[in-house]
Amino acid sequence: MPFIAFLIILLFGAGLFWFIAYLLRKRLPRVALALVGVGTLIALFLLGLWLVEITGWQREGFYKQLLYGLDKEDLKEYVYRQDDLQETTIFMMGQSSIALHQMADLMDEPDPRIAKHMAWMAAYISDRDHFPIWKNKKRWEQQLFFLTQAAIILGHYQLYTKDEKYHTQWEELSVYLVMGISRSQYKHLASRPEDMALRPADNAAALYALKLYDTAYGTNYLDVAGEDWSEYIRRELQFEDTKLPCAGFTATNRCRLTPVGGSLALLNAYVAAADLPISKDFWREFRYYYKESYVNVFAWINIMARGEEVPEFCDFSTAPLPCGRYEAAFAQFAAATREDWVTYYQLNNALLLDDLLHPPNQLWHQAPQEQVRGILNLAVRLSAISRPSRD
């Protein structure tokens, strides 16, 4: 339960100072009084952070910021002109569609802005002139990243609007993904042309995309591909002493890209959203090796497991994301999906503290490419805080 998780965090934060004060109350009364004051301040601060989240203020704030960013016509024009930013743009749209759909589920009345934004994102991803890949399906073999994000965008658009305008494209994508993953020797598809490695995180995203299609049409695509994919990871791809896979591996099952916090946070987010049984193993190992917690009050996700050095080309493991920027946001989404409320609030406390120093609305004064990356971050965080069940 979320409230119990908050009490646990409060106990290990403020409660620690109160307990020490209790022990020192007779020998060092002034020190004990000071510790009571410190503990009380921490308790009030944690209570404030919890109220910001539980009352929906944080969620509504991020929702307004996300809509503001997606409404910017100058940013849309920039996006259409910048082919070198295309992967980040597609990823931003995929995450935005998830966040908008989840927000819609929380509303009593439909918000027409959600349908409007989903419509332009679906149109963008379906543009045959903008994306020649639609004209040449022989090139799909090494385009998993694009195909998956397109399926996620089109899936959320159709599930929310009930408009089947893009049904044929969504169906083609879904059939290709399930057949490709289940029939592949390695149960993984290549993310990009001439990529150096097969990436489990991108394939986990594909499984989440298949879940959306199953939701719409009652198929069992996720079961077909997800079981083969999970079994292959258990049998072939566990990295060293963990049950986690590499960020990328070769066709000979050798680790090509070292697992890093960003790729594993993304992996956990998608397998949890797809509700795959293997997500339990991934989440347990990920928390143990990559979560950095300060007395159970604040938590961050490390780029590397404890004692390991960051690889020289870390961003290769998280393409198109940069290392060190999105780990906590994707991990919080995974925590919310898995209903790990202690981790959820630890990460949320740390992210809210960072927001006090760097308000989200400062994003709109930055360069356009940074705004696209910032909208992506907003969408992931909104997906996390709009996910929790309050039962």
Side-chain angles (χ1 to χ4, degrees), residues 87 133 136-147 176 189-198:
E87 283 194 11
I133 190 173
N136 185 5
K137 296 178 183 178
K138 293 181 181 179
R139 296 179 56 192
W140 282 20
E141 185 177 352
Q142 295 183 329
Q143 295 282 355
L144 177 72
F145 174 83
F146 166 73
L147 299 176
Y176 180 84
L189 300 177
S191 297
R192 300 162 184 83
E194 301 179 2
D195 200 347
M196 65 174 65
L198 300 171

Side-chain angles (χ1 to χ4, degrees), residues 19-293:
F19 178 69
I20 296 175
Y22 176 77
L23 296 178
L24 298 177
R25 69 189 187 283
K26 293 182 178 179
R27 290 189 300 170
L28 300 170
R30 292 184 178 179
V31 174
L33 184 61
L35 290 175
V36 169
V38 172
T40 302
L41 289 175
I42 292 175
L44 292 174
F45 181 67
L46 292 176
L47 180 62
L49 295 179
W50 184 69
L51 288 175
V52 165
E53 196 278 340
I54 199 70
T55 58
W57 294 343
Q58 181 188 9
R59 183 172 60 248
E60 290 302 318
F62 283 171
Y63 180 53
K64 291 178 181 178
Q65 291 292 325
L66 178 61
L67 291 178
Y68 178 81
L70 295 176
D71 261 330
K72 296 188 67 177
E73 293 297 332
D74 57 334
L75 190 60
K76 291 181 185 178
E77 293 177 4
Y78 174 83
V79 163
Y80 274 94
R81 296 196 309 267
Q82 298 295 319
D83 288 339
D84 59 343
L85 196 67
Q86 192 175 73
E87 283 194 11
T88 305
T89 297
I90 293 170
F91 205 12
M92 177 269 288
M93 291 180 179
Q95 294 301 317
S96 295
S97 68
I98 295 172
L100 291 174
H101 198 173
Q102 288 185 181
M103 282 297 298
D105 289 341
L106 298 176
M107 297 177 179
D108 296 328
E109 297 291 335
D111 186 341
R113 294 174 295 180
I114 293 179
K116 181 185 74 170
H117 290 310
M118 283 191 171
W120 83 258
M121 290 189 291
Y124 178 95
I125 207 72
S126 303
D127 189 333
R128 295 175 64 86
D129 294 326
H130 195 62
F131 293 107
I133 190 173
W134 289 110
K135 301 177 182 179
N136 185 5
K137 296 178 183 178
K138 293 181 181 179
R139 296 179 56 192
W140 282 20
E141 185 177 352
Q142 295 183 329
Q143 295 282 355
L144 177 72
F145 174 83
F146 166 73
L147 299 176
T148 293
Q149 295 304 317
I152 290 173
I153 294 167
L154 297 180
H156 280 289
Y157 170 80
Q158 184 170 322
L159 285 170
Y160 177 69
T161 65
K162 310 303 180 185
D163 179 6
E164 297 191 354
K165 178 180 180 179
Y166 305 107
H167 164 71
T168 300
Q169 288 167 296
W170 187 23
E171 183 179 46
E172 289 176 343
L173 292 170
S174 300
V175 170
Y176 180 84
L177 292 175
V178 67
M179 299 300 287
I181 293 176
S182 58
R183 291 181 177 180
S184 170
Q185 178 181 355
Y186 308 103
K187 308 306 175 188
H188 284 68
L189 300 177
S191 297
R192 300 162 184 83
E194 301 179 2
D195 200 347
M196 65 174 65
L198 300 171
R199 300 170 183 263
D202 285 343
N203 282 266
L207 296 174
Y208 169 68
L210 293 177
K211 181 184 179 182
L212 297 178
Y213 193 83
D214 288 348
T215 299
Y217 294 104
T219 53
N220 65 337
Y221 288 173
L222 176 61
D223 292 339
V224 172
E227 185 175 350
D228 288 346
W229 181 84
S230 300
E231 181 58 30
Y232 187 81
I233 286 182
R234 290 191 181 100
R235 187 177 69 249
E236 302 285 354
L237 296 184
Q238 293 179 4
F239 181 73
E240 295 183 348
D241 296 330
T242 76
K243 292 187 178 181
L244 297 167
C246 295
F249 66 97
T250 67
T252 57
N253 287 346
R254 295 179 63 85
C255 185
R256 184 67 182 266
L257 298 174
T258 303
V260 297
S263 65
L264 292 175
L266 185 59
L267 175 74
N268 273 278
Y270 278 124
V271 294
D275 198 23
L276 292 173
I278 200 172
S279 65
K280 180 179 180 180
D281 295 335
F282 285 166
W283 185 240
R284 181 182 61 250
E285 299 288 295
F286 177 65
R287 284 186 311 175
Y288 179 79
Y289 287 102
Y290 287 84
K291 176 185 170 186
E292 182 176 355
S293 178

Side-chain angles (χ1 to χ4, degrees), residues 354-374:
D354 186 66
D355 288 341
L356 293 176
L357 304 175
H358 307 96
N361 60 5
Q362 290 183 354
L363 171 66
W364 315 121
H365 302 292
Q366 300 183 26
Q369 60 268 29
E370 285 305 311
Q371 291 187 34
V372 172
R373 296 186 179 100

